[in-house]
Amino acid sequence: MTSIFFSASFYSNAEDYWKEVAPTVDGMLGGYGSISSIDINGSKAFLKKFLGEGEGKTGTGCALDCGAGIGRITKRLLLPLFRTVDLVDVTKEFLDKARSYLGDDGKRVGNYFCCGLQEFVPEAGRYDVIWIQWVIGHLTDDHLVDFLQRCQKALRPNGLIIIKDNVSYEGVVPDEVDSSVCRDLDIVRRLVGQAGLRIVHEEQQLNFPKEIYQVHTLALR
């Protein structure tokens, strides 16, 4: 059980933290802006395994970027692959910045939702891919399970939920600075199972700096 890590101010402390973060790629990546291209290229290779025409393939109509920040992933990963992308983030300043950061391609953004994921209800049957990167640590276990269940209802046929996040070596590691937790892979898998989802594919992101947590990508449906 990880509930001991979630105080009454777990969400408000995180909101306060992100309000002070610069609306830049470096800010989104906690000072590791230099890894952005490695990250995007790894994500693109992962996603392209599933996208396309034909039996069992995932469509390219609409994607949702969860914890989108200024739209780093929307700009470089999702908009090049999908006709329409929606962004959801709890920090209004980041979404405001996204409108200029995304440039002309921003015309293909469907919605900017300013909302915490613990409260966000994605539209049923809207999304081919729901991309959830570096944000599950900001949800309590119960809220993560509930959110994943809502995401499943929001998928189109053959749609996918993608989680890409840090994993700890063992157990749950709290981060007091940004009011989040880092879970080990077994805990993440267990919560995915609790949500009634199965893991279709799983990979570790390679070529990240040695000093940061391992990052794993999981495709769910």
Side-chain angles (χ1 to χ4, degrees), residues 36-104:
S36 187
S37 288
I38 297 167
D39 169 59
I40 294 292
N41 289 339
S43 297
K44 201 169 283 185
F46 185 94
L47 203 43
K48 281 185 168 176
K49 291 178 170 72
F50 303 100
L51 302 182
E53 304 291 323
E55 188 70 30
K57 287 290 191 181
T58 298
T60 55
C62 190
L64 174 64
D65 185 355
C66 299
I70 64 168
R72 179 187 73 91
I73 293 166
T74 290
K75 183 183 179 84
R76 297 198 48 202
L77 175 69
L78 300 177
L79 280 172
L81 295 173
F82 295 88
R83 282 192 294 282
T84 306
V85 180
D86 291 347
L87 289 76
V88 56
D89 198 277
V90 76
T91 307
K92 181 180 182 297
E93 290 77 10
F94 293 166
L95 293 176
D96 289 345
K97 175 69 176 181
R99 293 167 196 272
S100 58
Y101 173 73
L102 293 173
D104 279 352

Side-chain angles (χ1 to χ4, degrees), residues 108-127:
R108 293 190 289 111
V109 169
N111 298 283
Y112 295 90
F113 298 111
C114 189
C115 186
L117 297 185
Q118 71 276 14
E119 293 162 347
F120 182 64
V121 181
E123 182 186 325
R126 177 168 170 81
Y127 300 106

Side-chain angles (χ1 to χ4, degrees), residues 1 30 33-34 57 60 74 88 99 108 118 141 161 180 183 196 215 220:
M1 291 297 292
S34 59
K57 287 290 191 181
T60 55
T74 290
V88 56
R99 293 167 196 272
R108 293 190 289 111
Q118 71 276 14
D141 289 4
I161 298 163
S180 70
R183 302 171 174 95
V215 172
L220 321 169

